[in-house]
Amino acid sequence: MDNATITRPTVLILLGPPGAGKGTQARMLEEDFGLVQLSTGDLLRAAVAAGTEAGQQAKAVMEAGGLVSDDIVLAILKDRMAEPDTARGVILDGFPRTAGQAEALDGLLDGAGMKVTSVISLEVDDAAMIARVAGRHTCAGCGEGYHDAFKLPATAGVCDRCGGTAFKRRADDNAETAGARLTAYHAQTAPLIAYYEGRGVLERIDAMDDIAAVRDSLSRIVQTVTR
Ligand code: AP5
């Protein structure tokens, strides 16, 4: 893909329920367009693993499938956005998730002379999402994502990207917690679709397609909105 299509600082938001493919597609957009993937889920999991105060507060909420408080999420995001590698643009994966986070993002971007370029809603069926989440695993070395049925390494047990042989599964990837995460998505995050539609920056794609087809749809949108 053509990295040169990005001509100005770009802020893409991937919206969608658990398992919609936000992380999978954000990593590919990162490769295709040279933008930086910024996943609040990954940042929070790193804080939990490091045992920071924010991580300790977030841990139980994440294990129950609820949303971590806006204060904690915004502090973590703000710190990450201040790093120099984000200057060319970011793909926000899993953020914003509440009206308060969306408003705070506008303020943060305003201060940096930026604005939201495009919000892409990954449209999927709830029923299929539990299966996607339950089959997910990632390479313990490089974080490349896989699925028991939909995306296996070319050589069984060996990561395509780094050759690692250890894989891990997330503590919140079980049917019960995934159900709670879907409920939180519909109650607190789905209303952002109408919010961004009203601002004229929303795009919708059918994310029930296979991974390659979704990648193509997303790339076409990114090429258009970044011109
Ligand atoms: P987070 O890490 O953001 O999880 P999530 O939103 O539940 O999303 P997932 O990571 O489960 O799904 P995804 O859409 O990235 O799917 P993926 O690409 O991996 O958040 C975790 C928790 O942190 C939250 O519950 C909350 O507690 C907290 N949190 C995070 N951000 C927060 C915020 N802003 N505010 C408050 N709290 C926050 O794909 C899933 C699987 O399906 C993979 O195995 C993949 O290979 C496969 N797959 C992907 N696409 C396809 C396809 N098209 N066809 C078939 N299989 C596919």
Side-chain angles (χ1 to χ4, degrees):
M1 303 268 169
D2 184 5
N3 237 334
T5 54
I6 305 275
T7 55
R8 59 196 160 89
T10 298
V11 178
L12 299 177
I13 295 173
L14 296 187
L15 266 185
K22 303 181 297 293
T24 301
Q25 297 296 336
R27 279 187 292 279
M28 293 193 289
L29 287 175
E30 193 172 45
E31 277 173 24
D32 293 346
F33 294 95
L35 299 168
V36 171
Q37 176 198 13
L38 225 159
S39 155
T40 43
D42 287 347
L43 292 172
L44 287 166
R45 280 184 286 279
V48 171
T52 65
E53 197 183 327
Q56 286 172 29
Q57 289 175 36
K59 188 171 186 283
V61 180
M62 292 172 76
E63 283 172 357
L67 290 187
V68 175
S69 76
D70 285 356
D71 287 351
I72 290 178
V73 173
L74 286 165
I76 285 181
L77 181 91
K78 210 171 163 183
D79 283 353
R80 182 64 185 88
M81 292 275 285
E83 290 177 30
D85 63 338
T86 63
R88 187 164 183 265
V90 292
I91 307 155
L92 296 174
D93 156 10
F95 179 92
R97 258 174 152 101
T98 65
Q101 291 179 16
E103 281 165 26
L105 175 64
D106 288 339
L108 190 63
L109 294 177
D110 222 25
M114 295 167 79
K115 59 183 181 167
V116 172
T117 310
S118 186
V119 179
I120 304 168
S121 170
L122 306 187
E123 314 252 305
V124 290
D125 299 339
D126 277 6
M129 293 308 99
I130 304 287
R132 280 204 196 167
V133 164
R136 171 172 45 197
H137 50 286
T138 54
C139 171
C142 71
E144 181 69 1
Y146 295 97
H147 189 278
D148 293 335
F150 308 127
K151 188 187 168 204
L152 286 163
T155 303
V158 181
C159 176
D160 295 338
R161 182 182 275 194
C162 74
T165 52
F167 294 82
K168 57 182 183 180
R169 291 180 191 260
R170 271 168 48 178
D172 59 348
D173 277 352
N174 55 74
E176 189 186 339
T177 310
R181 284 156 57 200
L182 267 178
T183 301
Y185 172 79
H186 287 296
Q188 290 167 274
T189 308
L192 295 181
I193 294 173
Y195 171 75
Y196 285 117
E197 191 160 39
R199 287 177 42 175
V201 290
L202 186 82
E203 304 280 346
R204 297 171 190 267
I205 61 167
D206 179 3
M208 292 304 295
D209 270 343
D210 65 29
I211 292 173
V214 175
R215 181 184 199 169
D216 287 346
S217 303
L218 270 168
S219 289
R220 278 194 293 277
I221 291 172
V222 176
Q223 280 167 351
T224 303
V225 299
T226 55
R227 235 171 234 141

